[in-house]
Structures are given as C-alpha cells and as structure tokens.
Amino acid sequence: MRCEMCGRETELYRAIIEGSQLTVCNSCAKYGKITGRFTEAAAETRDNRKEAKKISDEPLESVVSNFGEILKKKREELGMTHKDFAAKIAEKESVLRKLETGSVKPTLERARQLERMLGIRLVEELKDEPIENQKSSSAVTLGDVVKIKIRKKG
Ligand SMILES: [Zn+2]
C-alpha cells in the first residue's frame, strides 16, 4: 500500500484530510486528523471478507516438524518397545511407527494430548508479528513504545 497523497510506500494511517477519509503516510497525515493506524488486515476485512476469513482461520499453533524424533526420543528414554509405547498413548503400533518416522503427522489436537500424556513439546506457536516490528522502526509512535516495553518484559 502507498500513501494516497505522496505515493510513498511506508507505514500508513487513516486520516481525515479536508473532509475526505484517506490512507496516508505519517508526514501527509499532519495535514489532517489521524483516525487510526492503517493495516493490510483491516483493509482486507473491509474490501474482501472471504480473504479476511481465510487469514483469521489460519492456526496460530502448529505441530513441530520434528515430532517424530521427539516421540522416538521419549519412547527410548522410557525404555519402551513400540508395542508398549503405542498402548501407553492409546495408538496402534503401526501408526506409532509412522508417527516416529514422520510419515504420519498428528493433528494439532492429538499432538496436544500427547504433550500432556508424555510431558513433551509437540506444538509450536506461529509468530505473525515481525513485519509490523520492522516497519515501526522508522516512525515509532507512543503506542509502539508501550508495546515494545511490554514485549521485553514478557
Ligand atoms: Zn504521504
């Protein structure tokens, strides 16, 4: 997206300038009244609901790619055979073998069950914020400063 006034490709704001709602850069926004931060996601919600829905359905968590190794390592740690371990996690032995080699991927729900049963980590959070972080470095607002402080604490 580009600033509707100067065409600069940068962080954009929604602003009312001379009575019109415009999407403009930080410097052009000074000619009017900023009504909020402009984000691509917000635009898609307005312009294309289907597209926005697809984005919001995206899972924020995902099964780690080396789940097989983790399962195998845990089984070996416990000194269990495939048969015993399969019984422990209420799974068929044949399926367990496939899980360990990575040819069958557990669902997110199943991975969570296994996490609880075995005390291992099989689910990772997907990060979706680095783009905004990079953009905000040029024009840091008070809101950004507060957000950054909170992030550093946590
Ligand atoms: Zn501009």
Side-chain angles (χ1 to χ4, degrees):
M1 278 300 292
R2 290 168 186 276
C3 169
E4 287 177 11
M5 283 183 79
C6 69
R8 210 150 64 95
E9 201 164 350
T10 178
E11 189 163 14
L12 297 172
Y13 298 86
R14 303 292 296 175
I16 294 170
I17 298 167
E18 291 173 8
S20 334
Q21 174 88 258
L22 294 172
T23 303
V24 295
C25 71
N26 198 17
S27 34
C28 294
K30 284 175 191 151
Y31 298 111
K33 189 177 180 299
I34 294 178
T35 57
R37 175 87 61 92
F38 174 83
T39 63
E40 302 271 345
E44 277 167 18
T45 306
R46 271 194 307 276
D47 300 338
N48 189 337
R49 288 189 171 209
K50 262 186 202 163
E51 201 61 33
K53 189 169 182 292
K54 208 171 82 189
I55 287 164
S56 65
D57 283 348
E58 202 94 11
L60 294 171
E61 290 179 314
S62 154
V63 178
V64 295
S65 54
N66 63 334
F67 61 89
E69 275 171 52
I70 295 169
L71 278 174
K72 186 165 190 274
K73 202 174 147 225
K74 188 67 190 177
R75 184 176 58 76
E76 284 170 352
E77 247 176 57
L78 295 168
M80 294 174 94
T81 63
H82 281 102
K83 196 183 166 191
D84 292 344
F85 194 69
K88 180 181 167 68
I89 63 172
E91 193 59 85
K92 282 183 200 157
E93 190 184 333
S94 60
V95 175
L96 171 63
R97 285 178 189 273
K98 282 177 187 164
L99 285 170
E100 283 191 6
T101 59
S103 62
V104 166
K105 190 176 182 174
T107 62
L108 198 56
E109 201 180 325
R110 182 62 173 142
R112 285 214 190 88
Q113 279 177 0
L114 293 172
E115 282 190 324
R116 282 196 297 272
M117 282 177 176
L118 303 167
I120 54 178
R121 288 284 291 157
L122 289 176
V123 177
E124 65 185 347
E125 269 183 50
L126 298 175
K127 305 270 184 270
D128 64 343
E129 52 186 38
I131 296 163
E132 173 137 18
N133 278 351
Q134 281 162 14
K135 274 188 188 167
S136 60
S137 60
S138 54
V140 176
T141 64
L142 185 60
D144 287 324
V145 173
V146 173
K147 257 193 275 174
I148 289 161
K149 275 186 182 164
I150 290 165
R151 279 204 190 113
K152 278 187 182 163
K153 255 191 203 170

